[in-house]
Every structure is written in C-alpha cells, then in structure tokens.
C-alpha cells in the first residue's frame, strides 16, 4: 500500500510515521522505506536552457574562473568566446583552448617558406602582399598600382642595375663629403671625435684595388724569411702532435762484425755457465764504461747470457757494450732526437726496442743497427715492453704520457688495443702469471692489474698511504713483485689472485724520493737491490729484509742496477754521471 501511496499523484506526504522496528512481529504487513537516489543533486536550470530549441545564443556561458561544472555542457558552451573584459587572460575573447599562438588563433596555411618570405618582405617594403587564401591582394592598393604588383624578389633587371648605380654614386658623394672639410682636420685626427669615427668606419683596406702585390722591399723579404725559419723551428721543437724524424744511423766500433768462424759479434760465448746457483754481494769495482756524454737512464743485460749490455742515455744515443772480453763499446744506435727513456730486449736479444722523449718508439736490429720499424702516437712513451711469450714476440706494449697503455702488433704496425683507465702517466708494465696478466703503475699512485688483451682492470690497488711507484720488478720465483715507492721504501706485492701487499717485507734505508731508481733481484732471489738518489747501490737480504751492503757507485743519482744473469757476484749500475759501472 505504501508503494501505491508513493506512486500516486497525491502530493500529500505520507502522514503515518514508520514503525521503529520494521522487523518486529507487531508490524504487519512489512512497509518499504522512502526511496533514496544515489545520484548527486543536479542544478538543472542550465540544462533547461540547453534544450530550449529557439535559443541560439547562451545567455550565460560557463564562467572560466569556476572550478567545477554541475551539468553536462554542450560543445558550443565550452568553446563559446569569453564575454566582456572581466577575464584577465583572454583580452581578445578567444577561449584558451582555441589559442595556438600567443596572439590568439592562427590558421594553418600550406605555403612554401620562400613564398611566405617573399610576401612578408614585399609587404614590409611596398605595403601590399598577395593573400594566400584567395587570389587577390591586401594592403596599399596605390603602391600596388604604382609598382605594377612586383614583389621584392622579381624586380626587373634594369631596375636592379639602376639602383646599383644610384648606390655607387651616393657612396662616392658621401666619401667626398668626408674627405672635404679642411676645418675639421684637427677633429679628423682625434679618435674620440665623431668625424674620426665616420671617416674610419670602413675597414682600412676599403677602396684598395685587389691587384697583384708589388715587389717586397729587402727589409720585408728578410723579415719574411726569418719568420718562416722561426715558425719551422717552433714546429720542430714541440709544435706538432707528430713525433720528430731523425735519420736513423748506427756505427759499429768493434774489430769485425763476424769472427773467423763466421759467427756474429752478438753470438753468445759457448763457454758461458748454464745456471747461477748461489749469488754473492759484489765488493769492488771491476770495470767502468764511459762513452755517453750525458746521464744514462737505463741498462739491460743481453737475455740469458749477459755477454753484452745495452744502455740508453739522455744524449739521444743507445750503445751496446762488450762485457766479457774487451769491455769496449760495440755499436752505437742513433735515431732519436731527444733523450732515450727506456729500452727492452726481445727474448733472443737479436732485436730491441727504444723509447725516447721525441715521442718515437723504435724497433732495432741489434746486430746490424737497422731500424726495423718506428711507432708513435704523438705522445711520449715512458715505458716499452715486449710480451715475453715466445709466440707473442711481435706484441709491443707502451705506457704513454697521456695515461694510456697502447698495444701494437709490430708485424702490421697497427694499434690492436688501448688500455685506458689510469689517471696519470704510465710508468711501468710488468708481466705476471705466466704472462697472462700484467701490472701497471702510474703517476696516479695506483697499481692496476689487467688481463693481457682485455682493456678492463681486474684489480685496482690504491691506498691513501700509497706513493707513486716508478719502478717494479718481478721476483725470480714469479710469486712476488717489488715496487719502488717514492716514500723511500720498497714494497712487496703478491702476484697471486689477490695481489696483496706483504706487510712483513719492507725494504728501506735508501733515499729515492723524486727519482725513478730501478729495483731488482739477484737471479737466485736471495737479494733485493736498488739505486738511490745519492749515487749508492743498496743490497738487502730477501728473507730478513735487513740491509746487507751499500756501495757508493756514482756521483749524483744511481738510477739503474742489473744483476748479471750468469755471473754470481757481478752487478752493473748506471747513473746520471754518464757512467756504467760493473
């Protein structure tokens, strides 16, 4: 019944109050609750406006400042122009959504940029332009008739010629005006005056004929020659990235290159002892080789036999000396134009590498003194090494001043790999782990371990207390590396997987700060030796780390020391006094 009441047209509200509990047994029959709609209350006044068919214009469109709309507006309502000047953002009455330009709404027109420029410039010059949407003109019609509707880009040829002539005449008149006025002579001389500025506005070459240059005077010729010469010298000095070229030559100083049996002078003596069981510390000076005019930077014994010793010097030369017989210089290799930094023998000693400050790396034939090949990246090589594997004797590694380690294939002369991770110039390259890896040290005070041929660091050692390590050498049993640290000590690193610092072994006492003194081992591994900054050569016992002996070898720095590969107690040292002592 309640339902019927509700739907009846009777407007009287239901006067009977609902029972408190419709579920109670007293209430019978059950009565339904008053209907409730879940939809929000809607203001339908605007809706009524929209459905009025006779009203074309909306008396009150949407106010742009309101944030919510309580009805569904039509498209026309949404896009209706904003009425009146009340809204601050739309002065021209275009709804925000219709704008595609800061000045309002711009229609798209398919027009070529050239045509647009033509009409734009014509309008600015003559005051008329063609309307792209229709075939008529807009603008100043008098000017249109006068100019015969030409645009700026199709001025007739004779008109162009006439204008050019007018321009020229106008320029000449202007010049005459400037040149005249003798009373302004004083002002014309004064750079602060407007007259001077007007006169000197044009470039100083203005009006000069582009004719042929006249003959130079003697003085000019002389100056030009001197200037060219000076420029050339500068380029040669340090200018170009390219390394300098010097004629490679070599001089043989021995008696004869082959002996009576036809053996070469570099052939090893037959009676050389095979192995070196037990080493002793040397006591006295046996021999001095002098021939270099400046300091000697590196020495290397001939591999396996040590019957020759190769030396690199700051006088740009590399010399090889006899050790066993005459003790003389056997050959001089001249090919660098600046000091030689590093040398390295091939495994059999028949060839060697030299690296100089002239940015060249040269590969020499030891016997004939010929340069087999030259390599350069335009940077200074600080260290050169050949891969010690017999099958990789054509692979050259060089540590450069630009923080890279460059790998060449000497057969092709191509750079095959670049190891580029260091943050300073690379000082040493040492092969470890059966030559599968190598350790490099650098001015960035770190050690980095690389897999050969893979330019990714597999171990990076850098501690706050570490100093730069300009020399590293491998212990004969290949388990340890000795690194000359510039805080006057020699540190020992394991070459096993972890490359740990051996804290128990530290060799100190010598003064090397500031010098790249070489560190080395005796062939049996019982002694560690190193030069120092005062010209001494120091020997330590490997087991106890105690100083065994010091020898005063050189005046100045003792930079390099090498133990003879076969003789038990013979050591060669080289210093900045230009001598090599044995």
């Amino acid at each position: 019944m309640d339902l019927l009441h509700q739907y009846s047209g009777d407007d009287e509200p239901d006067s009977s109050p609902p029972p408190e509990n419709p579920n109670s047994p007293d209430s019978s029959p059950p009565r339904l609750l008053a209907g409730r709609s879940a939809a929000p209350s809607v203001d339908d006044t605007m809706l009524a406006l929209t459905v009025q068919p006779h009203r074309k214009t909306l008396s009150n469109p949407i106010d742009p400042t309101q944030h919510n709309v309580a009805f569904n507006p039509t498209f026309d309502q949404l896009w209706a122009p904003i009425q009146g000047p009340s809204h601050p953002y739309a002065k021209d009455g275009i709804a925000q959504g219709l704008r595609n330009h800061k000045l309002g709404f711009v229609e798209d027109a398919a027009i070529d940029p050239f045509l647009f420029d033509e009409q734009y410039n014509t309008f600015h010059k003559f005051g008329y332009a063609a309307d792209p949407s229709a075939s008529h003109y807009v603008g100043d019609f008098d000017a249109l008739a006068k100019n015969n509707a030409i645009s700026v880009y199709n001025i007739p040829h004779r008109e162009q010629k006439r204008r050019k002539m007018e321009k020229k005449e106008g320029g000449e008149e202007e010049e005459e005006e400037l040149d005249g006025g003798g009373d302004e002579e004083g002002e014309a001389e004064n750079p602060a005056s407007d007259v001077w500025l007007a006169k000197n506005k044009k470039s100083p070459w203005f009006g000069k004929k582009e004719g042929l240059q006249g003959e130079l005077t003697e003085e000019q010729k002389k100056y030009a020659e001197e200037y060219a010469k000076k420029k050339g010298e500068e380029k040669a000095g340090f200018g170009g990235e390219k390394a300098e070229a010097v004629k490679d030559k070599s001089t043989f100083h021995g008696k004869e290159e082959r002996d009576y049996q036809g053996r070469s002078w570099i052939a090893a003596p037959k009676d050389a002892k095979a192995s070196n069981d037990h080493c002793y510390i040397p006591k006295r000076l046996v021999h001095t080789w002098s021939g270099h005019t400046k300091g000697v930077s590196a020495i290397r014994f001939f591999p396996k036999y040590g019957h020759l010793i190769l030396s690199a010097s700051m006088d740009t030369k590399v010399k090889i000396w006899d050790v066993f017989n005459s003790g003389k210089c056997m050959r001089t290799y001249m090919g660098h134009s600046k000091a030689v930094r590093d040398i390295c023998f091939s495994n059999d000693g028949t060839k060697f590498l030299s690296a100089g400050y002239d940015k060249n790396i040269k590969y020499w034939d030891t016997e004939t003194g010929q340069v087999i090949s030259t390599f350069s990246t335009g940077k200074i090589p600080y260290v050169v090494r050949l891969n010690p594997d017999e099958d990789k004797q054509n692979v050259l590694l060089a540590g450069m001043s630009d923080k890279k380690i460059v790998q060449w294939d000497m057969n092709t002369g191509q750079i095959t790999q670049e190891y580029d991770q260091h943050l300073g110039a690379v000082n040493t390259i040492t092969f470890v782990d059966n030559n599968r890896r190598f350790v490099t040290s650098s001015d960035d005070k770190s050690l980095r371990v690389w897999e050969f041929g893979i330019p990714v660091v597999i171990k990076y050692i850098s501690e706050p207390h570490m100093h730069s390590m300009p020399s590293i050498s491998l212990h004969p049993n290949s388990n340890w590396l000795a690194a000359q640290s510039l805080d006057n000590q020699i540190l020992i690193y394991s070459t096993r997987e972890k490359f740990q610092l051996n804290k128990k072994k530290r060799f100190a006492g010598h003064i090397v700060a500031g010098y790249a003194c070489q560190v080395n081992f005796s062939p049996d591994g019982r002694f560690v030796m190193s030069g120092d900054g005062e010209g001494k050569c120091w020997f330590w016992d490997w087991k106890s780390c105690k100083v065994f002996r010091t020898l005063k070898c050189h005046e100045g720095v003792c930079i390099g020391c090498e133990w003879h590969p076969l003789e038990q107690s013979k050591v060669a040292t080289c210093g900045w006094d230009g001598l090599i002592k044995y």
Side-chain angles (χ1 to χ4, degrees), residues 185-306:
E185 200 61 49
E187 284 216 332
E189 293 301 311
N190 178 12
S193 70
D194 292 339
V195 180
W196 187 90
L197 280 173
K199 195 170 181 181
N200 292 284
K201 194 159 55 178
K202 296 194 170 80
S203 82
W205 292 278
F206 180 78
K208 284 190 185 168
K209 289 281 176 286
E210 284 281 317
L212 284 169
Q213 190 181 4
E215 274 295 302
L216 291 175
T217 63
E218 282 302 309
E219 207 174 314
Q220 284 173 323
K221 275 183 191 164
K222 195 176 170 191
Y223 176 76
E225 276 168 24
E226 273 173 19
Y227 183 75
K229 197 173 171 187
K230 195 167 153 195
K231 264 278 182 258
E233 273 171 21
E234 264 177 33
K235 249 189 191 143
F238 51 81
E241 273 282 86
K242 277 287 139 234
E244 298 123 57
V246 167
K247 193 162 188 323
D248 303 317
K249 57 180 194 282
S250 173
T251 317
F252 183 66
H253 306 291
K255 282 182 184 164
E256 51 208 3
E257 300 208 11
R258 302 205 167 270
D259 65 1
Y260 68 99
Q261 284 188 326
R263 286 179 301 199
S264 164
W265 62 274
I266 64 162
K270 290 277 192 291
D271 55 353
K273 279 188 227 145
S275 69
N276 191 338
D277 304 330
H278 206 81
C279 292
Y280 305 95
I281 301 279
K283 293 188 179 70
R284 62 194 175 83
L285 179 66
V286 181
H287 186 74
T288 303
W289 289 285
S290 59
H292 286 296
T293 56
K294 288 186 183 167
V296 180
S297 49
I299 49 171
R300 301 281 182 270
F301 273 111
F302 196 90
K304 298 193 189 71
Y305 300 104

Side-chain angles (χ1 to χ4, degrees), residues 151-164:
S151 79
V152 284
Y153 290 167
N154 54 16
I155 296 169
H157 194 64
R158 61 176 181 281
E159 181 73 15
Q160 282 178 3
K161 212 168 185 180
R162 186 178 63 74
R163 281 186 191 181
K164 256 187 205 164

Side-chain angles (χ1 to χ4, degrees), residues 447-459:
L447 293 179
R448 289 171 203 246
V449 186
W450 315 73
E451 287 279 352
F452 178 73
I454 303 169
V456 180
V457 173
I458 56 169
K459 177 81 180 174

